[in-house]
Amino acid sequence: MRTFAAPSRRARRTVVVGLLGLLVLLVGLFVPAVAGAAPRNPTNAEIAAAQRRHAADVAALGRLSGQLAAVDADIERTRTSLDAAIAAYNETSRRLQQATAEVERTGRALAAAQTAVDDAREQARVEIRRSYMRGPVLSLGGVAVSDDPTAQTDALAMRRYLAVQSEGAVARLQLATVTASNARAATRLAEERATALQVQAGRERDQVLRALADYQARQAALAAERRSLERQAALAYGRVRQLRSQRAAFVAWAAEVARKRAAERARQAALARQRERQRQRELARQNATAVAPPASVGSWGNPMSPGTYSISTCFCMRWGVFHWGVDFAADYGTPIHAIASGRVVAAGPAQGFGNWVVIDHGSNTYSVYGHMRVLKVYAGERVRRGQLIALVGSEGQSTGPHMHLEIRIGGIEGTKIDPQVFLAQRGIQV
């Protein structure tokens, strides 16, 4: 049963540096999220279209204002004519009232004249009767007040007689008859004038009402059109302001994101410089003190010198996935040696490993080394056991400086087996 020694101070420092590197990676990944979700950034075409719409609405409103001014002047002229028509209608109504009063007055005069005629006729009959009772007289078959033309001769005789007998009664009868005739004519004239004025007043009233309705309708239509254009222009201006506000918010957000990213890049650069200084110090220390080759038994050896590393991850499940090798945590620049002689079949960048070295040891056995910063061999080169092939780094998917070792049987893409067990079977304890 294999026992493990407590991690050295260097190993603990390596773990701390690895954790710091992981933290830096996570912060770098989530920096954009700190600034919040990006607000909508309207396009220049959207803003230009909204501005054109607003300008068109303002121009239309200006044109309408000019039309309204012209229509207002036209309406003012129409109102002057309307006022004149109303005044004419009022004058006609006044004259109609006077004509109606005249009809009533002449009617009363006609009634009074007719009564006077009736009274005069009655008096004349009384006088004629009285004269008849006094003695023989001419035939009274016709009188002056008769409407029968065949009685004119008797009427003349009667007038002569009445001139002597009843001159006063005849005179009153004649005067009453003339007065009644004049009253009748005046009444007909007043009625005709009143009828004509009534027709004229009706026409003028209808004209005034139509003019008023047209005036009010034009005013209402123009006012409604003006309100509609004003609302439309206000909405267009509101759209322009909304788009400009969205653009300003996006510009502010983008500036904040750029500032935070620049700050993060500066921080990352500072950390990188710090790590590089540490790596240079480690390289200087290692160059000053030569590191002996790793222990070996027979044809196989340790990939790193004891005391320069610690096992940080085994051939096991890790973070929900299987880890197909063993991780040798060490400082930057720690030498890595070939575990056996063979031919280098790959040396350079590789996905996930950052950089890798693959050595074919024969018998379908391959060793794979990953995450190195510096490679000391090239593909096709023959190497011997214990030869320096690379220096520890933290390239690719790595959380700190270490060397990842895999053993594959059956080819470069063959079955992966536990490197610790493989080496232990060959007398190498790692």
mmCIF file of all heavy atoms in Angstrom, residues 242-282:
data_model
loop_
_atom_site.group_PDB
_atom_site.id
_atom_site.type_symbol
_atom_site.label_atom_id
_atom_site.label_comp_id
_atom_site.label_asym_id
_atom_site.label_seq_id
_atom_site.Cartn_x
_atom_site.Cartn_y
_atom_site.Cartn_z
ATOM 1 N N GLN A 242 -37.156 59.156 -28.003
ATOM 2 C CA GLN A 242 -36.983 57.794 -27.486
ATOM 3 C C GLN A 242 -35.768 57.125 -28.111
ATOM 4 O O GLN A 242 -34.948 56.509 -27.405
ATOM 5 C CB GLN A 242 -38.239 56.974 -27.785
ATOM 6 C CG GLN A 242 -38.138 55.525 -27.305
ATOM 7 C CD GLN A 242 -39.304 54.678 -27.783
ATOM 8 O OE1 GLN A 242 -39.980 55.039 -28.733
ATOM 9 N NE2 GLN A 242 -39.543 53.572 -27.118
ATOM 10 N N LEU A 243 -35.629 57.232 -29.435
ATOM 11 C CA LEU A 243 -34.490 56.609 -30.102
ATOM 12 C C LEU A 243 -33.180 57.249 -29.662
ATOM 13 O O LEU A 243 -32.174 56.556 -29.450
ATOM 14 C CB LEU A 243 -34.658 56.709 -31.620
ATOM 15 C CG LEU A 243 -35.798 55.869 -32.214
ATOM 16 C CD1 LEU A 243 -35.941 56.153 -33.703
ATOM 17 C CD2 LEU A 243 -35.555 54.385 -31.987
ATOM 18 N N ARG A 244 -33.178 58.571 -29.526
ATOM 19 C CA ARG A 244 -31.949 59.233 -29.073
ATOM 20 C C ARG A 244 -31.604 58.821 -27.649
ATOM 21 O O ARG A 244 -30.418 58.642 -27.318
ATOM 22 C CB ARG A 244 -32.133 60.747 -29.149
ATOM 23 C CG ARG A 244 -32.123 61.290 -30.587
ATOM 24 C CD ARG A 244 -32.419 62.759 -30.606
ATOM 25 N NE ARG A 244 -32.339 63.314 -31.961
ATOM 26 C CZ ARG A 244 -32.724 64.537 -32.276
ATOM 27 N NH1 ARG A 244 -33.223 65.345 -31.332
ATOM 28 N NH2 ARG A 244 -32.623 64.976 -33.510
ATOM 29 N N SER A 245 -32.624 58.678 -26.812
ATOM 30 C CA SER A 245 -32.381 58.237 -25.440
ATOM 31 C C SER A 245 -31.821 56.817 -25.418
ATOM 32 O O SER A 245 -30.894 56.510 -24.656
ATOM 33 C CB SER A 245 -33.684 58.309 -24.634
ATOM 34 O OG SER A 245 -33.497 57.812 -23.331
ATOM 35 N N GLN A 246 -32.385 55.928 -26.260
ATOM 36 C CA GLN A 246 -31.865 54.568 -26.342
ATOM 37 C C GLN A 246 -30.418 54.559 -26.821
ATOM 38 O O GLN A 246 -29.583 53.815 -26.291
ATOM 39 C CB GLN A 246 -32.737 53.736 -27.275
ATOM 40 C CG GLN A 246 -34.120 53.428 -26.724
ATOM 41 C CD GLN A 246 -34.972 52.659 -27.712
ATOM 42 O OE1 GLN A 246 -34.636 52.534 -28.894
ATOM 43 N NE2 GLN A 246 -36.103 52.150 -27.256
ATOM 44 N N ARG A 247 -30.113 55.391 -27.821
ATOM 45 C CA ARG A 247 -28.741 55.453 -28.307
ATOM 46 C C ARG A 247 -27.801 55.952 -27.210
ATOM 47 O O ARG A 247 -26.706 55.411 -27.021
ATOM 48 C CB ARG A 247 -28.674 56.371 -29.540
ATOM 49 C CG ARG A 247 -27.258 56.688 -30.020
ATOM 50 C CD ARG A 247 -26.474 55.462 -30.420
ATOM 51 N NE ARG A 247 -27.062 54.776 -31.536
ATOM 52 C CZ ARG A 247 -26.874 55.148 -32.815
ATOM 53 N NH1 ARG A 247 -26.109 56.179 -33.109
ATOM 54 N NH2 ARG A 247 -27.437 54.453 -33.774
ATOM 55 N N ALA A 248 -28.219 56.985 -26.474
ATOM 56 C CA ALA A 248 -27.378 57.514 -25.394
ATOM 57 C C ALA A 248 -27.157 56.460 -24.313
ATOM 58 O O ALA A 248 -26.045 56.311 -23.789
ATOM 59 C CB ALA A 248 -28.022 58.766 -24.804
ATOM 60 N N ALA A 249 -28.221 55.700 -23.982
ATOM 61 C CA ALA A 249 -28.079 54.649 -22.968
ATOM 62 C C ALA A 249 -27.108 53.574 -23.442
ATOM 63 O O ALA A 249 -26.280 53.076 -22.670
ATOM 64 C CB ALA A 249 -29.444 54.044 -22.653
ATOM 65 N N PHE A 250 -27.202 53.212 -24.733
ATOM 66 C CA PHE A 250 -26.290 52.191 -25.248
ATOM 67 C C PHE A 250 -24.851 52.690 -25.256
ATOM 68 O O PHE A 250 -23.931 51.944 -24.900
ATOM 69 C CB PHE A 250 -26.703 51.787 -26.664
ATOM 70 C CG PHE A 250 -25.777 50.773 -27.290
ATOM 71 C CD1 PHE A 250 -25.910 49.429 -26.995
ATOM 72 C CD2 PHE A 250 -24.755 51.173 -28.143
ATOM 73 C CE1 PHE A 250 -25.053 48.492 -27.546
ATOM 74 C CE2 PHE A 250 -23.888 50.237 -28.692
ATOM 75 C CZ PHE A 250 -24.047 48.901 -28.392
ATOM 76 N N VAL A 251 -24.648 53.934 -25.660
ATOM 77 C CA VAL A 251 -23.287 54.480 -25.685
ATOM 78 C C VAL A 251 -22.697 54.497 -24.278
ATOM 79 O O VAL A 251 -21.531 54.127 -24.067
ATOM 80 C CB VAL A 251 -23.300 55.895 -26.298
ATOM 81 C CG1 VAL A 251 -21.961 56.591 -26.097
ATOM 82 C CG2 VAL A 251 -23.615 55.818 -27.787
ATOM 83 N N ALA A 252 -23.528 54.912 -23.286
ATOM 84 C CA ALA A 252 -23.048 54.922 -21.898
ATOM 85 C C ALA A 252 -22.721 53.508 -21.430
ATOM 86 O O ALA A 252 -21.699 53.272 -20.769
ATOM 87 C CB ALA A 252 -24.097 55.567 -20.993
ATOM 88 N N TRP A 253 -23.595 52.549 -21.778
ATOM 89 C CA TRP A 253 -23.343 51.159 -21.388
ATOM 90 C C TRP A 253 -22.063 50.633 -22.036
ATOM 91 O O TRP A 253 -21.242 49.992 -21.379
ATOM 92 C CB TRP A 253 -24.526 50.299 -21.790
ATOM 93 C CG TRP A 253 -24.308 48.829 -21.552
ATOM 94 C CD1 TRP A 253 -24.539 48.139 -20.407
ATOM 95 C CD2 TRP A 253 -23.800 47.876 -22.502
ATOM 96 N NE1 TRP A 253 -24.221 46.815 -20.570
ATOM 97 C CE2 TRP A 253 -23.753 46.624 -21.833
ATOM 98 C CE3 TRP A 253 -23.382 47.959 -23.822
ATOM 99 C CZ2 TRP A 253 -23.315 45.477 -22.462
ATOM 100 C CZ3 TRP A 253 -22.931 46.810 -24.447
ATOM 101 C CH2 TRP A 253 -22.915 45.588 -23.775
ATOM 102 N N ALA A 254 -21.905 50.903 -23.343
ATOM 103 C CA ALA A 254 -20.711 50.428 -24.044
ATOM 104 C C ALA A 254 -19.449 51.043 -23.454
ATOM 105 O O ALA A 254 -18.418 50.363 -23.315
ATOM 106 C CB ALA A 254 -20.821 50.757 -25.536
ATOM 107 N N ALA A 255 -19.522 52.326 -23.090
ATOM 108 C CA ALA A 255 -18.361 52.963 -22.485
ATOM 109 C C ALA A 255 -18.025 52.325 -21.145
ATOM 110 O O ALA A 255 -16.851 52.113 -20.808
ATOM 111 C CB ALA A 255 -18.624 54.463 -22.322
ATOM 112 N N GLU A 256 -19.063 52.007 -20.359
ATOM 113 C CA GLU A 256 -18.821 51.368 -19.069
ATOM 114 C C GLU A 256 -18.221 49.974 -19.242
ATOM 115 O O GLU A 256 -17.298 49.577 -18.532
ATOM 116 C CB GLU A 256 -20.129 51.288 -18.283
ATOM 117 C CG GLU A 256 -20.013 50.626 -16.905
ATOM 118 C CD GLU A 256 -19.161 51.415 -15.935
ATOM 119 O OE1 GLU A 256 -18.834 52.588 -16.234
ATOM 120 O OE2 GLU A 256 -18.811 50.867 -14.881
ATOM 121 N N VAL A 257 -18.756 49.212 -20.214
ATOM 122 C CA VAL A 257 -18.197 47.886 -20.480
ATOM 123 C C VAL A 257 -16.740 47.997 -20.922
ATOM 124 O O VAL A 257 -15.875 47.239 -20.465
ATOM 125 C CB VAL A 257 -19.045 47.162 -21.547
ATOM 126 C CG1 VAL A 257 -18.340 45.896 -22.031
ATOM 127 C CG2 VAL A 257 -20.408 46.803 -20.974
ATOM 128 N N ALA A 258 -16.463 48.961 -21.831
ATOM 129 C CA ALA A 258 -15.087 49.133 -22.295
ATOM 130 C C ALA A 258 -14.165 49.514 -21.140
ATOM 131 O O ALA A 258 -13.028 49.024 -21.046
ATOM 132 C CB ALA A 258 -15.041 50.202 -23.392
ATOM 133 N N ARG A 259 -14.668 50.381 -20.245
ATOM 134 C CA ARG A 259 -13.836 50.783 -19.102
ATOM 135 C C ARG A 259 -13.524 49.585 -18.212
ATOM 136 O O ARG A 259 -12.376 49.374 -17.800
ATOM 137 C CB ARG A 259 -14.561 51.870 -18.300
ATOM 138 C CG ARG A 259 -13.745 52.411 -17.139
ATOM 139 C CD ARG A 259 -14.594 53.276 -16.244
ATOM 140 N NE ARG A 259 -15.618 52.497 -15.548
ATOM 141 C CZ ARG A 259 -15.371 51.759 -14.478
ATOM 142 N NH1 ARG A 259 -14.152 51.672 -13.976
ATOM 143 N NH2 ARG A 259 -16.361 51.081 -13.897
ATOM 144 N N LYS A 260 -14.547 48.772 -17.918
ATOM 145 C CA LYS A 260 -14.336 47.622 -17.049
ATOM 146 C C LYS A 260 -13.444 46.571 -17.711
ATOM 147 O O LYS A 260 -12.592 45.962 -17.054
ATOM 148 C CB LYS A 260 -15.682 47.000 -16.663
ATOM 149 C CG LYS A 260 -16.485 47.891 -15.722
ATOM 150 C CD LYS A 260 -17.777 47.232 -15.294
ATOM 151 C CE LYS A 260 -18.536 48.126 -14.303
ATOM 152 N NZ LYS A 260 -19.787 47.506 -13.851
ATOM 153 N N ARG A 261 -13.628 46.391 -19.017
ATOM 154 C CA ARG A 261 -12.770 45.431 -19.704
ATOM 155 C C ARG A 261 -11.325 45.916 -19.740
ATOM 156 O O ARG A 261 -10.386 45.112 -19.574
ATOM 157 C CB ARG A 261 -13.291 45.198 -21.117
ATOM 158 C CG ARG A 261 -14.550 44.336 -21.164
ATOM 159 C CD ARG A 261 -15.063 44.171 -22.566
ATOM 160 N NE ARG A 261 -16.200 43.248 -22.601
ATOM 161 C CZ ARG A 261 -16.957 43.049 -23.665
ATOM 162 N NH1 ARG A 261 -16.711 43.716 -24.789
ATOM 163 N NH2 ARG A 261 -17.972 42.199 -23.622
ATOM 164 N N ALA A 262 -11.142 47.229 -19.967
ATOM 165 C CA ALA A 262 -9.785 47.766 -19.955
ATOM 166 C C ALA A 262 -9.154 47.595 -18.581
ATOM 167 O O ALA A 262 -7.972 47.235 -18.467
ATOM 168 C CB ALA A 262 -9.808 49.240 -20.355
ATOM 169 N N ALA A 263 -9.955 47.842 -17.527
ATOM 170 C CA ALA A 263 -9.426 47.652 -16.173
ATOM 171 C C ALA A 263 -9.064 46.202 -15.928
ATOM 172 O O ALA A 263 -8.022 45.890 -15.324
ATOM 173 C CB ALA A 263 -10.455 48.135 -15.150
ATOM 174 N N GLU A 264 -9.931 45.290 -16.430
ATOM 175 C CA GLU A 264 -9.634 43.871 -16.243
ATOM 176 C C GLU A 264 -8.400 43.458 -17.041
ATOM 177 O O GLU A 264 -7.565 42.676 -16.566
ATOM 178 C CB GLU A 264 -10.846 43.033 -16.656
ATOM 179 C CG GLU A 264 -10.657 41.536 -16.503
ATOM 180 C CD GLU A 264 -10.369 41.117 -15.065
ATOM 181 O OE1 GLU A 264 -10.716 41.887 -14.141
ATOM 182 O OE2 GLU A 264 -9.795 40.031 -14.877
ATOM 183 N N ARG A 265 -8.259 43.970 -18.271
ATOM 184 C CA ARG A 265 -7.064 43.659 -19.052
ATOM 185 C C ARG A 265 -5.806 44.169 -18.360
ATOM 186 O O ARG A 265 -4.770 43.479 -18.347
ATOM 187 C CB ARG A 265 -7.172 44.260 -20.459
ATOM 188 C CG ARG A 265 -8.130 43.509 -21.370
ATOM 189 C CD ARG A 265 -7.936 43.930 -22.817
ATOM 190 N NE ARG A 265 -8.244 45.350 -23.012
ATOM 191 C CZ ARG A 265 -9.444 45.803 -23.326
ATOM 192 N NH1 ARG A 265 -10.449 44.955 -23.475
ATOM 193 N NH2 ARG A 265 -9.636 47.102 -23.505
ATOM 194 N N ALA A 266 -5.897 45.378 -17.792
ATOM 195 C CA ALA A 266 -4.738 45.907 -17.069
ATOM 196 C C ALA A 266 -4.412 45.033 -15.871
ATOM 197 O O ALA A 266 -3.236 44.762 -15.576
ATOM 198 C CB ALA A 266 -5.021 47.342 -16.630
ATOM 199 N N ARG A 267 -5.456 44.574 -15.162
ATOM 200 C CA ARG A 267 -5.217 43.717 -14.006
ATOM 201 C C ARG A 267 -4.619 42.390 -14.439
ATOM 202 O O ARG A 267 -3.689 41.866 -13.798
ATOM 203 C CB ARG A 267 -6.530 43.488 -13.253
ATOM 204 C CG ARG A 267 -6.366 42.879 -11.872
ATOM 205 C CD ARG A 267 -7.718 42.835 -11.166
ATOM 206 N NE ARG A 267 -8.586 41.864 -11.788
ATOM 207 C CZ ARG A 267 -8.556 40.550 -11.491
ATOM 208 N NH1 ARG A 267 -7.694 40.091 -10.614
ATOM 209 N NH2 ARG A 267 -9.384 39.725 -12.080
ATOM 210 N N GLN A 268 -5.158 41.820 -15.530
ATOM 211 C CA GLN A 268 -4.614 40.564 -16.038
ATOM 212 C C GLN A 268 -3.164 40.735 -16.480
ATOM 213 O O GLN A 268 -2.308 39.858 -16.244
ATOM 214 C CB GLN A 268 -5.456 40.075 -17.219
ATOM 215 C CG GLN A 268 -6.861 39.663 -16.873
ATOM 216 C CD GLN A 268 -6.908 38.285 -16.233
ATOM 217 O OE1 GLN A 268 -5.891 37.640 -16.071
ATOM 218 N NE2 GLN A 268 -8.098 37.865 -15.852
ATOM 219 N N ALA A 269 -2.878 41.868 -17.131
ATOM 220 C CA ALA A 269 -1.500 42.116 -17.564
ATOM 221 C C ALA A 269 -0.567 42.225 -16.361
ATOM 222 O O ALA A 269 0.565 41.721 -16.390
ATOM 223 C CB ALA A 269 -1.434 43.387 -18.408
ATOM 224 N N ALA A 270 -1.062 42.889 -15.302
ATOM 225 C CA ALA A 270 -0.237 42.994 -14.097
ATOM 226 C C ALA A 270 0.022 41.618 -13.490
ATOM 227 O O ALA A 270 1.151 41.309 -13.063
ATOM 228 C CB ALA A 270 -0.921 43.911 -13.084
ATOM 229 N N LEU A 271 -1.030 40.783 -13.448
ATOM 230 C CA LEU A 271 -0.837 39.426 -12.927
ATOM 231 C C LEU A 271 0.116 38.627 -13.799
ATOM 232 O O LEU A 271 0.948 37.851 -13.294
ATOM 233 C CB LEU A 271 -2.191 38.719 -12.842
ATOM 234 C CG LEU A 271 -3.144 39.211 -11.740
ATOM 235 C CD1 LEU A 271 -4.485 38.512 -11.876
ATOM 236 C CD2 LEU A 271 -2.550 38.961 -10.357
ATOM 237 N N ALA A 272 -0.035 38.802 -15.136
ATOM 238 C CA ALA A 272 0.865 38.081 -16.034
ATOM 239 C C ALA A 272 2.310 38.524 -15.820
ATOM 240 O O ALA A 272 3.234 37.689 -15.824
ATOM 241 C CB ALA A 272 0.440 38.310 -17.488
ATOM 242 N N ARG A 273 2.498 39.830 -15.658
ATOM 243 C CA ARG A 273 3.865 40.311 -15.395
ATOM 244 C C ARG A 273 4.398 39.740 -14.085
ATOM 245 O O ARG A 273 5.579 39.355 -13.972
ATOM 246 C CB ARG A 273 3.890 41.837 -15.371
ATOM 247 C CG ARG A 273 3.705 42.472 -16.742
ATOM 248 C CD ARG A 273 4.016 43.946 -16.700
ATOM 249 N NE ARG A 273 3.100 44.678 -15.812
ATOM 250 C CZ ARG A 273 1.961 45.212 -16.199
ATOM 251 N NH1 ARG A 273 1.571 45.084 -17.474
ATOM 252 N NH2 ARG A 273 1.198 45.871 -15.342
ATOM 253 N N GLN A 274 3.513 39.677 -13.083
ATOM 254 C CA GLN A 274 3.933 39.116 -11.798
ATOM 255 C C GLN A 274 4.314 37.639 -11.947
ATOM 256 O O GLN A 274 5.336 37.184 -11.415
ATOM 257 C CB GLN A 274 2.808 39.278 -10.768
ATOM 258 C CG GLN A 274 3.152 38.734 -9.394
ATOM 259 C CD GLN A 274 2.000 38.919 -8.420
ATOM 260 O OE1 GLN A 274 0.981 39.483 -8.760
ATOM 261 N NE2 GLN A 274 2.183 38.435 -7.205
ATOM 262 N N ARG A 275 3.483 36.877 -12.705
ATOM 263 C CA ARG A 275 3.811 35.476 -12.905
ATOM 264 C C ARG A 275 5.099 35.305 -13.697
ATOM 265 O O ARG A 275 5.899 34.400 -13.423
ATOM 266 C CB ARG A 275 2.642 34.769 -13.624
ATOM 267 C CG ARG A 275 1.403 34.589 -12.782
ATOM 268 C CD ARG A 275 0.451 33.604 -13.426
ATOM 269 N NE ARG A 275 -0.024 34.070 -14.716
ATOM 270 C CZ ARG A 275 -1.132 34.774 -14.908
ATOM 271 N NH1 ARG A 275 -1.866 35.110 -13.851
ATOM 272 N NH2 ARG A 275 -1.499 35.144 -16.117
ATOM 273 N N GLU A 276 5.306 36.175 -14.694
ATOM 274 C CA GLU A 276 6.526 36.084 -15.494
ATOM 275 C C GLU A 276 7.756 36.389 -14.648
ATOM 276 O O GLU A 276 8.794 35.720 -14.779
ATOM 277 C CB GLU A 276 6.450 37.043 -16.683
ATOM 278 C CG GLU A 276 7.644 37.003 -17.604
ATOM 279 C CD GLU A 276 7.840 35.640 -18.236
ATOM 280 O OE1 GLU A 276 6.864 34.864 -18.337
ATOM 281 O OE2 GLU A 276 8.977 35.340 -18.656
ATOM 282 N N ARG A 277 7.621 37.379 -13.761
ATOM 283 C CA ARG A 277 8.752 37.681 -12.872
ATOM 284 C C ARG A 277 9.046 36.480 -11.974
ATOM 285 O O ARG A 277 10.203 36.127 -11.732
ATOM 286 C CB ARG A 277 8.440 38.923 -12.033
ATOM 287 C CG ARG A 277 8.527 40.226 -12.815
ATOM 288 C CD ARG A 277 8.526 41.408 -11.885
ATOM 289 N NE ARG A 277 7.304 41.511 -11.095
ATOM 290 C CZ ARG A 277 6.235 42.202 -11.469
ATOM 291 N NH1 ARG A 277 6.240 42.846 -12.649
ATOM 292 N NH2 ARG A 277 5.159 42.256 -10.699
ATOM 293 N N GLN A 278 7.948 35.849 -11.473
ATOM 294 C CA GLN A 278 8.144 34.667 -10.629
ATOM 295 C C GLN A 278 8.802 33.545 -11.429
ATOM 296 O O GLN A 278 9.699 32.843 -10.933
ATOM 297 C CB GLN A 278 6.791 34.200 -10.071
ATOM 298 C CG GLN A 278 6.884 32.970 -9.171
ATOM 299 C CD GLN A 278 5.513 32.524 -8.683
ATOM 300 O OE1 GLN A 278 4.525 33.182 -8.963
ATOM 301 N NE2 GLN A 278 5.489 31.435 -7.957
ATOM 302 N N ARG A 279 8.339 33.377 -12.694
ATOM 303 C CA ARG A 279 8.930 32.335 -13.528
ATOM 304 C C ARG A 279 10.401 32.607 -13.788
ATOM 305 O O ARG A 279 11.246 31.681 -13.729
ATOM 306 C CB ARG A 279 8.180 32.250 -14.858
ATOM 307 C CG ARG A 279 8.601 31.088 -15.731
ATOM 308 C CD ARG A 279 7.875 31.117 -17.058
ATOM 309 N NE ARG A 279 8.351 32.207 -17.881
ATOM 310 C CZ ARG A 279 9.440 32.133 -18.673
ATOM 311 N NH1 ARG A 279 10.153 31.016 -18.713
ATOM 312 N NH2 ARG A 279 9.803 33.159 -19.400
ATOM 313 N N GLN A 280 10.743 33.855 -14.060
ATOM 314 C CA GLN A 280 12.138 34.202 -14.300
ATOM 315 C C GLN A 280 12.995 33.946 -13.062
ATOM 316 O O GLN A 280 14.137 33.464 -13.165
ATOM 317 C CB GLN A 280 12.249 35.679 -14.735
ATOM 318 C CG GLN A 280 11.604 35.991 -16.080
ATOM 319 C CD GLN A 280 12.295 35.265 -17.214
ATOM 320 O OE1 GLN A 280 13.463 34.875 -17.122
ATOM 321 N NE2 GLN A 280 11.559 35.063 -18.306
ATOM 322 N N ARG A 281 12.437 34.286 -11.886
ATOM 323 C CA ARG A 281 13.190 34.022 -10.670
ATOM 324 C C ARG A 281 13.422 32.522 -10.488
ATOM 325 O O ARG A 281 14.511 32.083 -10.093
ATOM 326 C CB ARG A 281 12.447 34.596 -9.463
ATOM 327 C CG ARG A 281 12.494 36.106 -9.364
ATOM 328 C CD ARG A 281 12.055 36.575 -7.989
ATOM 329 N NE ARG A 281 10.676 36.204 -7.695
ATOM 330 C CZ ARG A 281 9.633 36.987 -7.950
ATOM 331 N NH1 ARG A 281 9.823 38.192 -8.504
ATOM 332 N NH2 ARG A 281 8.405 36.592 -7.660
ATOM 333 N N GLU A 282 12.357 31.710 -10.783
ATOM 334 C CA GLU A 282 12.488 30.270 -10.643
ATOM 335 C C GLU A 282 13.505 29.720 -11.633
ATOM 336 O O GLU A 282 14.320 28.839 -11.310
ATOM 337 C CB GLU A 282 11.137 29.586 -10.842
ATOM 338 C CG GLU A 282 10.144 29.841 -9.720
ATOM 339 C CD GLU A 282 10.598 29.197 -8.420
ATOM 340 O OE1 GLU A 282 11.324 28.195 -8.473
ATOM 341 O OE2 GLU A 282 10.244 29.722 -7.357
#
